[in-house]
Amino acid sequence: MAHLKKNTRGAVSGLAVHFERKTDHHSNKEIDVAKTYLNQDLISDGSDMLSRFNERLNDVYCMKRDDVKALATWIVTLPEELSEAPYEQQSAFFEATKQFLDDRYGPENAVAAVVHYDETTPHLHYAFVPVVFDAKKERYKVSAKEVLTRHDLQTFHDDLDQDLKQVLPFYEQGILNNKTLPFENVDEIKKYNDQFKVLKDELVNIEENISAKKALLKVTNQALTEVELAEKQIDDFKQALSKNLFGKTVLKPDDLDRFKSLLANMKKATLQSQRDAADSNQALLKTKAQLAEVQADYQQLKDRHQVLQQRVREKQQMDYAMRDMLKNDYGVEKIPHSDVEARYVLYRLDHEQLTKSKKEATSWLATLKTAREHPDSKITSSRLDRGIEQVKALINRIIELTRDLFKGPSL
């Protein structure tokens, strides 16, 4: 969730350009400039990162060597459990993280705390000058080695997690409540996650099967090698025996028959081993083909999963933008959740995005009725009544189509 980097003085200018988005020509292709307005600068003192950095170095001692690590940066990524949370909760997470870092390394040493929402995953860039007090010379000095010790790095994640659990109730629960929009894609993402698990299990089984096939081939190949060696030894014996036929016979005829029988058995074993090897090779090729198909399906589902996650993030940001507009431009502080669901149904009706499912249409009807009965609803009763009548008519059409389908053509 968090990553640390130590930087020299020469790297600060480039980091400032990236953190504070001082250019629209980014080398990072994941940056969407259309969403840069969502980014947050959590140090709002009117200055910028570079000036804060230079000002802090003027207050403390720092060696003039170019290789001195004069700036440390933490990148803290939004946890996956908050990826679907409202913008307000995500913002609260980063503000609490910034406060934790201030307490840990000193707010006077912080030179940047910027949250980027315009990249693939929201994250916080926190930059600070690693400063310690030099008791021997009675002055403050820059020393990344003494500030970012092994103990500091080993305890960082646990300390951050415990701190956030104390100040953020929704982080402690690990479950996101009060979702603002009925995103059907969230259910789709869960479905794909379940499919990922099944596919991963299949991959493990197939890879184990391939390993077993390879082991069998190895044993078969070893057996063939032993057979070939035995045949060579028998051939050598026959050659030696033929030479002895012109001289003294040193073996009995029964010995020759015994070796002939042995040779026949070895040839039979050889043919069987070759057949087994051919069968094993065929099974291995088939298994490899199955593995390739599963891997292709896995990659396709993974790509679709990433697309759906991006769409969810975009809808969350749009939800924040709409809430911000309603609050600051129209003075609407709160909208009932039933209104949000009802407006979603009305949008589908107005744009003729009608469902073919009776179950879903019945759910729409219940949603509109709930919104009409809510005392704080901002939707006019006439619009809700018109929507209710539209849904009732839609349900009747679905019932008629279903009845005609089961009735079949007339004779």
Side-chain angles (χ1 to χ4, degrees):
M1 188 176 75
H3 175 70
L4 173 72
K5 185 177 181 181
K6 302 174 185 178
N7 310 272
T8 62
R9 208 176 329 213
V12 177
S13 296
L15 291 172
V17 171
H18 175 70
F19 290 179
E20 299 175 332
R21 295 294 192 257
K22 293 184 177 181
T23 178
D24 291 334
H25 304 288
H26 304 286
S27 59
N28 185 353
K29 301 304 180 182
E30 293 184 354
I31 297 176
D32 186 351
V33 294
K35 300 177 183 178
T36 300
Y37 74 96
L38 293 170
N39 294 347
Q40 291 179 291
D41 187 349
L42 302 183
I43 302 180
S44 54
D45 59 0
S47 61
D48 60 12
M49 174 179 168
L50 198 56
S51 61
R52 296 188 199 109
F53 174 74
N54 291 328
E55 183 179 351
R56 185 54 179 157
L57 282 192
N58 290 333
D59 294 337
V60 298
Y61 171 75
C62 182
M63 297 177 65
K64 301 299 182 182
R65 285 167 34 188
D66 293 337
D67 61 344
V68 173
K69 306 299 184 182
L71 183 75
T73 54
W74 276 106
I75 300 178
V76 182
T77 305
L78 186 73
E80 184 177 354
E81 68 181 36
L82 298 181
S83 61
E84 300 173 18
Y87 184 89
E88 293 84 354
Q89 288 189 359
Q90 294 183 359
S91 178
F93 168 82
F94 288 122
E95 290 176 358
T97 301
K98 188 260 184 185
Q99 185 60 53
F100 167 83
L101 292 166
D102 282 346
D103 295 340
R104 194 176 186 94
Y105 301 113
E108 68 279 3
N109 298 318
V111 299
V114 180
V115 181
H116 287 165
Y117 288 96
D118 56 359
E119 296 183 50
T120 302
T121 304
H123 55 274
L124 166 69
H125 287 285
Y126 184 88
F128 65 98
V129 179
V131 175
V132 295
F133 182 72
D134 187 344
K136 185 176 180 179
K137 296 187 177 181
E138 297 184 348
R139 65 183 180 187
Y140 286 95
K141 68 175 182 179
V142 175
S143 178
K145 181 179 180 180
E146 296 181 57
V147 174
L148 301 167
T149 62
R150 180 184 295 272
H151 176 74
D152 179 77
L153 300 180
Q154 289 176 339
T155 60
F156 180 88
H157 285 87
D158 287 341
D159 292 346
L160 174 59
D161 186 64
Q162 292 301 321
D163 184 82
L164 292 176
K165 286 180 178 179
Q166 292 180 5
V167 299
L168 300 176
F170 57 85
Y171 182 83
E172 171 69 30
Q173 295 169 1
I175 299 174
L176 305 179
N177 298 319
N178 304 318
K179 292 183 179 179
T180 56
L181 288 177
F183 294 150
E184 295 178 354
N185 287 337
V186 174
D187 294 331
E188 293 182 36
I189 290 176
K190 183 180 183 301
K191 178 184 70 176
Y192 287 128
N193 279 334
D194 294 339
Q195 293 185 24
F196 284 153
K197 185 178 184 303
V198 174
L199 285 172
K200 287 179 180 178
D201 293 340
E202 289 184 13
L203 283 173
V204 171
N205 292 334
I206 290 175
E207 287 173 350
E208 290 178 351
N209 191 14
I210 288 177
S211 298
K213 297 293 185 184
K214 287 181 177 179
L216 176 59
L217 284 175
K218 184 177 180 181
V219 172
T220 302
N221 289 334
Q222 183 177 355
L224 287 173
T225 301
E226 293 175 355
V227 168
E228 292 172 354
L229 179 61
E231 285 184 318
K232 186 177 183 304
Q233 291 174 345
I234 291 175
D235 288 339
D236 292 342
F237 164 77
K238 289 171 63 179
Q239 292 176 6
L241 180 61
S242 63
K243 293 177 183 178
N244 289 334
L245 289 176
F246 294 97
K248 295 181 179 180
T249 303
V250 295
L251 293 177
K252 298 178 181 179
D254 292 343
D255 294 329
L256 179 59
D257 293 338
R258 178 169 54 83
F259 276 105
K260 285 183 178 180
S261 176
L262 174 61
L263 177 60
N265 291 333
M266 294 300 287
K267 285 185 175 180
K268 181 179 179 180
T270 299
L271 292 174
Q272 183 61 44
S273 297
Q274 289 175 339
R275 285 194 290 268
D276 292 343
D279 293 341
S280 298
N281 278 325
Q282 188 65 28
L284 179 60
L285 291 174
K286 183 178 179 180
T287 303
K288 284 184 176 179
Q290 293 174 345
L291 175 61
E293 292 177 0
V294 172
Q295 288 176 329
D297 292 341
Y298 176 82
Q299 185 60 43
Q300 184 179 11
L301 287 172
K302 183 177 180 181
D303 293 341
R304 293 177 64 185
H305 177 76
Q306 292 175 345
V307 170
L308 288 173
Q309 282 188 322
Q310 179 63 24
R311 287 168 59 189
V312 169
R313 283 192 291 268
E314 290 174 355
K315 287 186 177 182
Q316 289 172 346
Q317 293 166 2
M318 181 59 68
D319 173 56
Y320 169 78
M322 295 301 296
R323 286 179 174 272
D324 182 73
M325 178 181 68
L326 290 173
K327 178 179 179 180
N328 296 302
D329 298 342
Y330 297 98
V332 178
E333 294 288 342
K334 184 179 180 182
I335 299 178
H337 183 65
S338 58
D339 269 17
V340 176
E341 293 182 330
R343 290 181 189 276
Y344 171 77
V345 174
L346 293 173
Y347 175 88
R348 295 283 295 269
L349 294 173
D350 292 343
H351 292 77
E352 296 186 356
Q353 297 179 3
L354 305 180
T355 180
K356 296 182 181 179
S357 167
K358 179 185 175 183
K359 181 178 180 181
E360 185 177 14
T362 304
S363 173
W364 287 7
L365 182 62
T367 297
L368 295 177
K369 288 182 177 180
T370 300
R372 186 179 59 181
E373 295 170 0
H374 199 290
D376 297 327
S377 176
K378 301 295 190 299
I379 309 175
T380 60
S381 299
S382 59
R383 188 181 181 194
L384 289 170
D385 290 338
R386 184 170 64 254
I388 290 172
E389 294 304 318
Q390 287 179 278
V391 175
K392 287 181 178 179
L394 174 62
I395 293 174
N396 289 332
R397 287 201 299 273
I398 295 174
I399 294 175
E400 291 176 1
L401 289 173
T402 305
R403 186 185 300 117
D404 293 341
L405 180 63
F406 283 98
K407 183 186 300 182
S410 59
L411 300 177

